[in-house]
Amino acid sequence: MLEYIRFGLFAFFLLGGLAVLLTAMVGVARFRYSINRIHAAGMGDTLGLLMISIAALIYTGWNDMTLKILFILGFYWLTSPVAGHLLGRLVSETDEHFEAEAKLWKR
């Protein structure tokens, strides 16, 4: 009985993570402007990877692989926002039509 519950949780998190990543992929393909694409990709990757990592933790159980999965998740969570921020800064500095496409806050 416990194996069925474990498999159900594993399937829920794995399919949920895949659905989030699929939604992010559609957002990246559908949005027209690069800043919107960066946002869709960043949000989808973060939640999708979290759910898939939880599914991997449920599948493997508590062993040495658990620590490796948590390190991978932590590394991704530290580097993904930095990469998204740097891409956003690159677009804002180099795009000629940035003011027309993005709403700028007054400083």
Side-chain angles (χ1 to χ4, degrees):
M1 181 67 180
L2 187 61
E3 287 296 318
Y4 290 122
I5 295 171
R6 185 174 166 192
F7 178 75
L9 286 172
F10 165 73
F12 171 76
F13 281 111
L14 185 65
L15 293 176
L18 291 175
V20 168
L21 289 174
L22 180 66
T23 304
M25 185 178 69
V26 169
V28 168
R30 185 171 182 202
F31 285 133
R32 191 172 59 89
Y33 190 59
S34 59
I35 295 290
N36 296 337
R37 290 179 178 181
I38 292 169
H39 179 71
M43 297 302 288
D45 284 349
T46 303
L47 182 61
L49 184 67
L50 172 68
M51 292 184 77
I52 290 175
S53 297
I54 290 172
L57 290 174
I58 291 171
Y59 181 75
T60 60
W62 294 103
N63 54 19
D64 58 341
M65 186 63 75
T66 304
L67 187 61
K68 292 177 186 178
I69 292 171
L70 291 175
F71 277 141
I72 291 170
L73 184 63
F75 179 75
Y76 187 80
W77 275 7
L78 288 174
T79 57
S80 179
V82 173
H85 177 75
L86 290 176
L87 284 172
R89 290 283 308 251
L90 176 72
V91 169
S92 70
E93 296 292 327
T94 60
D95 192 4
E96 300 154 353
H97 307 290
F98 183 72
E99 287 85 11
E101 294 288 336
K103 179 181 178 180
L104 297 177
W105 298 97
K106 293 183 181 180
R107 293 181 186 196

